[in-house]
Amino acid sequence: MLDPRLLRGDPDACAARLATRGFRLDVERFRVLEERRKALQVRTQDLQSARNRGAKAIGQAKAQGRDIAPLLAEAEGLGGRLKAAEAELQAVLAQLEDFQLAVPNLPHESVPEGSDERANRELRRWGDVPRFDFAVRDHVDVGAGLAGMDFESAARISGARFVVLRGVVARLHRALTQFMLDLHTGTHGYTEVYVPYLVNAESLRGTGQLPKFEEDLFALRGDAGLYLIPTAEVPVTNLARDRILEAEVLPLRFACHTPCFRSEAGSYGKDTRGMIRQHQFEKVEMVQVVRPEESYAALESLTGHAEAVLRALELPYRVVALCTGDLGFAAAKTYDLEVWLPAQGTYREISSCSNFEDFQARRLRARWRNPATGKPELVHTLNGSGLAVGRTLAALLENCQEPDGAVRVPEVLRPYLGGLERLTPPG
RNA sequence: GGAGAGAUGGCCGAGCUGGUCGAAGGCGCUCCCCUGCUAAGGGAGUAUGGGGCUAAUCACUCCAUCGAGGGUUCGAAUCCCUCUCUCUCCGCCA
């Protein structure tokens, strides 16, 4: 959510900024709602004030044993008018909240302008794109060759966009997860957390998935109102919800491994083959809660932490700064990490690192006590994948494949695989 | 699943025979005083969100908030209803 003062103070400037990311702010509607809100709020509060004065006078009169009948007569009808005003005000406030919850974050000034991903800016590349003197297989074939990747079974069990991993590939999948967690907790200073995979609507509203993107989520039946998490970002960032953090505990840095569940509504026909786009995938997520003045430095370091995983795994990648039009709803600035996929001959997103500034914090009421002012102020929140495990597995199988169908294991992973240096097809 | 107890400010904890209660007291924190170090002591202050006014995130003023939502009442932290969560006992269970 944007700062309401900012929105009220200069809606046209906000609209101009939002236009760069392709969002049309209905300034006129906002003005109308604001005007009505103001008038109704003043009226309501006046009536409340009158009621309070009256009630107090009656209390005093009664204590002194005076006759309260005239005072009661005076208060006649006030309740009804107040109730009506309150109801009206509440209705407008609800509309105003709906309006504001649907407004995306303002892009940071350093974000390149552009309407879609073509305007994204490549910042750097790392690693040599591998050359193969044999026909490159994609991860589906490499995985199948290792007798470890089975989409047919998954389709029978659940449907499209699921996978069953077996044997050494399943183990590699687990090894990747373990390695990432160890790296972030061991050398990057993150605290590992284990969190619920089912969350309530309030949590999703806090991080920005609701109310606008409900169709991307899997909701549970029944009246519990729970959803499967689309990313660990939701439960982990919500650790800061409704809290006032002491300055000393900042920055909070959490690393968290969870499955992620996404309906992938609207992506029909996209990435239908392989593990690139699944309804269920594993991810190690990094989440930071920081002082506002530190958030952009934190974005750089967090991105570096995600890059460190790719480097350790020796996977070629590039870093892209998303343009205004490609930015996620809640993000002020985002770096995407894209890994090289030989079979596709292109870089594909494997991590997304974002600074949300106070956009999520405002929805979450996530604050810290600023020693300079002594007052609770909004924190800044960030997160980034470190990394998406399924895509990392796919990238590894493709980049490290050998002519005989084996897969070379990057050194950092070997301790997690009992020292195995190569994954080899059975038989 | 059954029975019971509870949810109050940064924390602990009174109030719950409805009225000067935004809320005693304590802890913590801030400032001041005293004390030739340390410790102790004395005094003052210390919730959050929002509105109006304003150049102002100053001041002033108003409103809301005692788990959440509704109700009764001139008036609700206090009474009633619903929900959520926590704790205890029983049952069940990985």
Side-chain angles (χ1 to χ4, degrees):
Chain A
M1 201 154 80
L2 299 183
D3 185 351
R5 292 173 201 275
L6 188 66
L7 201 53
R8 276 201 293 261
D10 199 349
D12 292 315
C14 289
R17 290 292 295 147
L18 290 168
T20 67
R21 49 141 69 229
F23 182 85
R24 200 191 137 267
L25 183 72
D26 191 340
V27 177
E28 203 34 53
R29 174 166 159 73
F30 180 70
R31 282 219 173 91
V32 169
L33 283 173
E34 257 304 307
E35 243 167 73
R36 286 182 53 205
R37 186 226 97 223
K38 197 175 199 169
L40 282 168
Q41 185 162 349
V42 170
R43 181 143 60 88
T44 303
Q45 291 188 352
D46 282 348
L47 288 168
Q48 285 171 329
S49 187
R51 176 203 60 195
N52 291 347
R53 276 197 309 275
K56 200 166 267 187
I58 291 173
Q60 282 170 342
K62 228 177 166 182
Q64 293 164 11
R66 285 185 280 132
D67 181 21
I68 61 168
L71 289 168
L72 280 175
E74 217 172 290
E76 181 112 33
L78 192 71
R81 277 184 290 150
L82 176 58
K83 203 168 251 180
E86 278 176 337
E88 242 184 300
L89 175 63
Q90 218 160 48
V92 172
L93 285 177
Q95 285 179 53
L96 213 49
E97 195 191 10
D98 288 348
F99 182 93
Q100 289 176 46
L101 281 175
V103 177
N105 203 355
L106 298 175
H108 186 253
E109 58 188 13
S110 67
V111 174
E113 275 195 33
S115 58
D116 55 50
E117 67 273 6
R118 286 172 313 203
N120 292 348
R121 186 178 298 154
E122 180 180 309
L123 300 178
R124 55 186 174 272
R125 293 187 181 203
W126 184 94
D128 295 321
V129 167
R131 295 186 197 294
F132 299 93
D133 50 13
F134 57 92
V136 176
R137 288 169 301 247
D138 71 3
H139 66 277
V140 178
D141 290 338
V142 176
L146 295 169
M149 199 176 288
D150 178 358
F151 291 94
E152 280 177 39
S153 294
R156 214 175 318 117
I157 297 165
S158 303
R161 294 203 191 284
F162 289 93
V163 70
V164 171
L165 302 179
R166 244 188 280 264
V168 74
V169 177
R171 191 180 184 187
L172 175 64
H173 188 247
R174 176 163 55 89
L176 283 167
T177 308
Q178 301 281 71
F179 165 68
M180 292 178 198
L181 277 172
D182 286 350
L183 181 65
H184 296 314
T185 59
T187 74
H188 295 157
Y190 289 77
T191 301
E192 183 171 351
V193 284
Y194 170 83
V195 295
Y197 302 158
L198 301 178
V199 295
N200 55 37
E202 183 57 29
S203 293
L204 288 157
R205 207 171 359 251
T207 36
Q209 283 78 14
L210 289 180
K212 257 194 136 175
F213 306 101
E214 177 148 31
E215 69 278 7
D216 295 336
L217 301 168
F218 285 112
L220 263 60
R221 283 197 178 158
D223 49 15
L226 293 175
Y227 297 80
L228 287 164
I229 55 170
T231 159
E233 164 191 356
V234 179
V236 178
T237 308
N238 270 275
L239 285 170
R241 170 149 61 96
D242 284 314
R243 308 219 32 205
I244 300 171
L245 301 159
E246 292 307 323
E248 309 85 71
V249 310
L250 298 179
L252 293 178
R253 288 181 170 169
F254 296 116
C256 185
H257 160 235
T258 69
C260 304
F261 303 93
R262 300 188 182 177
S263 76
E264 294 299 339
S267 65
Y268 306 111
K270 229 193 273 177
D271 298 314
T272 50
R273 180 177 164 86
M275 287 182 66
I276 299 302
R277 193 175 299 276
Q278 303 266 283
H279 288 310
Q280 170 188 322
F281 63 95
E282 305 290 303
K283 185 155 60 67
V284 171
E285 184 79 355
M286 300 172 285
V287 172
Q288 294 201 26
V289 177
V290 307
R291 305 177 183 209
E293 67 270 21
E294 291 168 358
S295 67
Y296 278 94
L299 176 62
E300 297 302 321
S301 72
L302 179 125
T303 305
H305 298 150
E307 289 184 64
V309 178
L310 287 165
R311 291 183 191 215
L313 295 173
E314 303 160 47
L315 294 171
Y317 69 91
R318 63 173 190 166
V319 181
V320 170
L322 295 194
C323 73
T324 51
D326 207 19
L327 232 37
F329 178 75
K333 180 169 185 172
T334 298
Y335 294 124
D336 271 7
L337 268 49
E338 298 181 346
V339 71
W340 177 256
L341 286 186
Q344 295 190 11
T346 184
Y347 290 96
R348 292 300 304 266
E349 177 187 339
I350 196 166
S351 171
S352 195
C353 303
S354 301
N355 183 1
F356 303 96
E357 298 187 358
D358 62 12
F359 186 88
Q360 292 181 327
R362 185 169 292 108
R363 292 170 165 238
L364 294 162
R365 295 170 300 280
R367 297 173 295 174
W368 68 301
R369 198 170 290 282
N370 184 348
T373 61
K375 295 286 176 194
E377 296 173 14
L378 295 171
V379 296
H380 279 194
T381 60
L382 304 95
N383 68 54
S385 348
L387 307 163
V389 180
R391 288 188 179 181
T392 307
L393 179 82
L396 193 88
L397 293 181
E398 293 194 9
N399 280 280
C400 300
Q401 61 180 300
E402 298 184 339
D404 59 354
V407 172
R408 193 185 61 79
V409 176
E411 255 171 71
V412 291
L413 241 33
R414 292 177 190 169
Y416 297 91
L417 291 165
L420 215 57
E421 296 178 15
R422 295 171 83 235
L423 313 182
T424 50

